[in-house]
Amino acid sequence: MKSKSVLVIGAGIGGIVAATHLAQHGIKVTVVEKNSRAGGRCDRISRDGHHFDTGPTLLVMPLLYEAEFHALGVQASMHEKLDLQRVDPTYHLVFDDGRQLALTSDMKSMQEQLETFEQGSFQGLLRYMDEGHRHYHLGIEKLVNRDFRKASEFFTLENIPLVYKLKPLINHYGNMSAYFDDPRLKTAFTFQDVYMGLSPFEAPATFSMMPYTELAHGVFYPRGGMYSIVEALMDLAREAGVEFIFDSAVEKIAVNSAHARGLVLANGERLEADAVLANADLPYVYKYLLPESSLADSLARKRFSCSVISFFWGVDKTYETLPPHTLFLADDYRENFDSIIRDLSLPANPCLYIHAPARLDPAMAPSGQDTLIAIVPVGHMSENGEQDWGALRDKARKQVFRRLATLGITDLESHIKFETTFTPLSWLKRYNLMKGSTHGLCHNLTQLGYFRPRNRHSRYHNLYFTGASTHPGTGLPTAMVSGRLSAQRIMDDFESQS
Ligand SMILES: Cc1cc2nc3c(=O)[nH]c(=O)nc-3n(C[C@H](O)[C@H](O)[C@H](O)COP(=O)(O)OP(=O)(O)OC[C@H]3O[C@@H](n4cnc5c(N)ncnc54)[C@H](O)[C@@H]3O)c2cc1C
């Protein structure tokens, strides 16, 4: 392996992790990133003492992080690299009728709260958690933590029982009737599907693994914010000898009939290597960095996850009563997803999320002030470009203030010192995310497991992929898994060539 070299396009989580594994095995790795810093959509904006995580705000699935840091050589625990605190309650849910529910691992508190919504619902939660436990452990072992290089690795006799055990053919929301009657509780334990770019009305019931892991394993927050995960990974990458070139966009992957030869950068420079690994969004790579092909067109026609409009506010006072993670959920839940997924728009009464990081780490805002992030899910960019993102942004902004007023916060607008907003256009421009889709290709059944695009190109056999639009899919810890799996694939191929 020592004489081998790999070029990586993009310093997102998948790219950094793959690069580190490769370099730890003696391979010469160079990462080329268009932006001036690493992290991709796990990015940070800092201004006047306010620090904003512009992408992920929740460290979920801690067991996966632990395993991936361990695989990267962090022997004792990821706690060595990250100063983590558990966030409990995880989310404060606020319903349209003003009722609130604090999701917590404190089962006594859950029992007291749930029984006020629906008698007997705590028993429903315990049964739902039992199913979530099964889905989580089977899902991680059989589907997430491995790749599928051949159809015969996916369609095995051993996997047949998964059709029953993981409920992939049963709709998540419909499945909730087995546990709860109250629509607010069905909402409370399915909204996480939006992370996969899916409506709970179409998502497989398998995704009960998400609410399960949040309550069972916890949601965490690293001191310094989510960007400190990027910093920890970059330390490991640099220790392993990975070279990074920032502020350099890749314009083309140079190929011959069967191989990738290297990269052509926007400044005209050419780089060569034995293999290329693309961490930039996979459908974007097919469409813009490779020669025209029918595959690129068919990928562009696949289903993409939703996008979000995000507001980053530096505020001149502290809103102590605002919890770290507040989710405003809407009664017209189905309409919300129809509007986002079918109409590619903003719902009339959108579900939305507010993050107040200074509740968890006071250093995220200057003393006596606040740092607030509001995220409103919307449809991704349409083919015809008809969406008026300025108008949709203004509507979303009003909805955030309207929902905050239900918590008695009515003066926020007048206390905003500065505001930065991201629309789907920003996601596209900043990170080359196709259609401005924040979670890449969506995670419906026909785009999961073996059906998700392979992490090696079918024609150029030394061109590989990693990241959210590849296997296993979106999420920070899953991007770490994806990076490891892709690195392993490259090393296996190098090994078989030697
Ligand atoms: C708003 C939002 C909220 C999220 N919340 C959470 C959360 O709470 N928890 C969680 O676990 N996950 C969350 N995620 C998902 C998580 O952030 C992503 O799944 C993960 O970071 C994806 O990493 P990736 O490896 O696909 O790389 P990406 O982030 O896609 O990075 C790819 C890199 O490639 C670079 N690049 C692109 N084109 C080129 C080019 N031509 N030349 C050079 N470089 C290029 C880009 O600039 C970028 O740096 C969220 C994502 C978003 C957007």
Side-chain angles (χ1 to χ4, degrees):
M1 303 263 188
K2 287 244 174 342
S3 58
K4 296 288 187 188
S5 58
V6 175
L7 288 165
V8 180
I9 308 170
I13 300 295
I16 306 170
V17 168
T20 309
H21 281 293
L22 293 167
Q24 286 175 342
H25 284 82
I27 295 167
K28 179 179 176 333
V29 190
T30 308
V31 181
V32 184
E33 166 58 51
K34 75 186 261 293
N35 292 331
S36 54
R37 61 184 171 274
R41 54 197 115 169
C42 186
D43 207 348
R44 162 185 285 174
I45 298 176
S46 291
R47 182 170 160 187
D48 302 340
H50 298 267
H51 305 288
F52 305 89
D53 283 312
T54 54
T57 52
L58 299 148
L59 192 157
V60 292
M61 301 185 138
L63 305 189
L64 268 194
Y65 279 95
E66 192 72 86
E68 292 309 316
F69 270 103
H70 188 70
L72 285 166
V74 177
Q75 286 309 321
S77 157
M78 65 173 166
H79 292 265
E80 241 180 68
K81 296 280 166 193
L82 298 169
D83 185 356
L84 293 175
Q85 61 174 301
R86 188 161 179 168
V87 185
D88 193 90
T90 54
Y91 310 89
H92 282 81
L93 307 183
V94 184
F95 299 98
D96 267 344
D97 60 6
R99 290 287 307 277
Q100 297 188 27
L101 173 62
L103 295 184
T104 167
S105 306
D106 175 346
M107 286 296 125
K108 185 165 176 291
S109 164
M110 278 304 261
Q111 179 167 23
E112 283 164 8
Q113 294 185 79
L114 289 185
E115 294 296 321
T116 66
F117 280 82
E118 178 189 326
Q119 232 187 1
S121 56
F122 181 64
Q123 283 306 319
L125 175 70
L126 294 181
R127 286 187 290 111
Y128 184 58
M129 286 288 110
D130 191 40
E131 177 171 293
H133 169 85
R134 187 175 72 239
H135 289 180
Y136 177 86
H137 289 284
L138 270 176
I140 297 292
E141 182 196 333
K142 303 282 183 192
L143 299 175
V144 171
N145 232 339
R146 50 157 310 170
D147 56 3
F148 300 99
R149 301 180 186 185
K150 295 186 287 219
S152 57
E153 293 176 359
F154 188 68
F155 300 103
T156 61
L157 276 179
E158 195 200 331
N159 278 351
I160 290 174
L162 297 183
V163 176
Y164 305 100
K165 289 184 180 164
L166 283 176
K167 295 193 173 177
L169 304 176
I170 295 174
N171 153 294
H172 196 182
Y173 193 85
N175 190 48
M176 296 308 284
S177 303
Y179 305 104
F180 307 109
D181 288 328
D182 190 308
R184 290 168 300 187
L185 298 185
K186 294 182 185 177
T187 306
F189 298 106
T190 55
F191 67 82
Q192 294 86 346
D193 294 349
V194 80
Y195 305 159
M196 311 292 152
L198 285 175
S199 150
F201 299 94
E202 61 168 345
T206 317
F207 287 133
S208 61
M209 64 160 69
M210 291 306 295
Y212 163 75
T213 174
E214 286 175 357
L215 290 183
H217 308 141
V219 171
F220 289 79
Y221 186 78
R223 187 178 298 280
M226 294 296 281
Y227 198 75
S228 50
I229 301 172
V230 176
E231 291 168 337
L233 292 175
M234 284 297 283
D235 285 349
L236 292 169
R238 289 202 162 106
E239 273 166 31
V242 177
E243 186 198 346
F244 287 88
I245 305 175
F246 289 104
D247 297 307
S248 269
V250 171
E251 201 164 77
K252 285 282 167 221
I253 299 174
V255 292
N256 63 19
S257 57
H259 288 96
R261 317 291 339 166
L263 304 178
V264 182
L265 308 191
N267 65 8
E269 196 182 337
R270 286 171 176 268
L271 304 175
E272 290 192 351
D274 296 303
V276 170
L277 171 66
N279 177 220
D281 196 25
L282 177 139
Y284 155 86
V285 174
Y286 273 85
K287 188 144 179 74
Y288 296 104
L289 302 188
L290 285 169
E292 256 184 68
S293 72
S294 57
L295 204 55
D297 298 334
S298 79
L299 276 170
R301 282 195 302 275
K302 283 192 181 286
R303 275 200 48 196
F304 285 73
S305 62
C306 63
S307 189
V308 300
I309 296 178
S310 303
F311 300 90
F312 307 102
W313 289 313
V315 177
D316 69 8
K317 69 175 259 198
T318 306
Y319 290 93
E320 281 297 343
T321 56
L322 198 57
H325 303 292
T326 308
L327 255 158
F328 293 91
L329 294 167
D331 282 351
D332 25 19
Y333 196 46
R334 187 188 285 266
E335 195 276 332
N336 250 266
F337 289 101
D338 285 350
S339 170
I340 294 168
I341 291 164
R342 189 190 59 204
D343 308 337
L344 301 182
S345 191
L346 171 74
N349 173 24
C351 296
L352 53 93
Y353 161 70
I354 313 263
H355 177 42
R359 289 307 82 72
L360 298 166
D361 179 358
M364 298 303 276
S367 167
Q369 306 194 13
D370 226 340
T371 292
L372 299 180
I373 299 172
I375 299 186
V376 187
V378 286
H380 61 65
M381 292 164 68
S382 64
E383 292 299 322
N384 57 24
E386 267 173 1
Q387 296 132 311
D388 179 346
W389 291 114
L392 291 170
R393 178 201 57 213
D394 294 347
K395 273 193 197 165
R397 191 174 190 273
K398 281 197 183 121
Q399 291 294 340
V400 176
F401 294 138
R402 183 182 68 79
R403 296 301 295 262
L404 278 172
T406 66
L407 293 185
I409 296 178
T410 52
D411 62 348
L412 174 62
E413 200 167 6
S414 61
H415 288 281
I416 293 175
K417 295 191 299 176
F418 63 84
E419 166 177 291
T420 301
T421 55
F422 281 13
T423 69
L425 296 168
S426 326
W427 299 109
L428 171 72
K429 189 163 170 232
R430 282 176 164 256
Y431 313 108
N432 286 336
L433 300 179
M434 246 336 231
K435 304 189 187 199
S437 152
T438 40
H439 297 280
L441 289 175
C442 100
H443 302 70
N444 53 334
L445 264 193
T446 55
Q447 296 184 177
L448 275 180
Y450 180 70
F451 304 113
R452 213 158 171 79
R454 289 302 97 66
N455 63 6
R456 189 178 78 173
H457 198 282
S458 57
R459 178 169 179 184
Y460 312 115
H461 279 186
N462 62 340
L463 171 58
Y464 303 84
F465 301 92
T466 184
S469 285
T470 71
H471 179 77
T474 188
L476 218 156
T478 20
M480 293 178 76
V481 174
S482 170
R484 173 173 52 80
L485 293 175
S486 299
Q488 191 56 53
R489 179 91 204 243
I490 295 172
M491 291 190 282
D492 288 349
D493 286 354
F494 280 163
E495 193 77 45
S496 67
Q497 289 154 14
S498 61

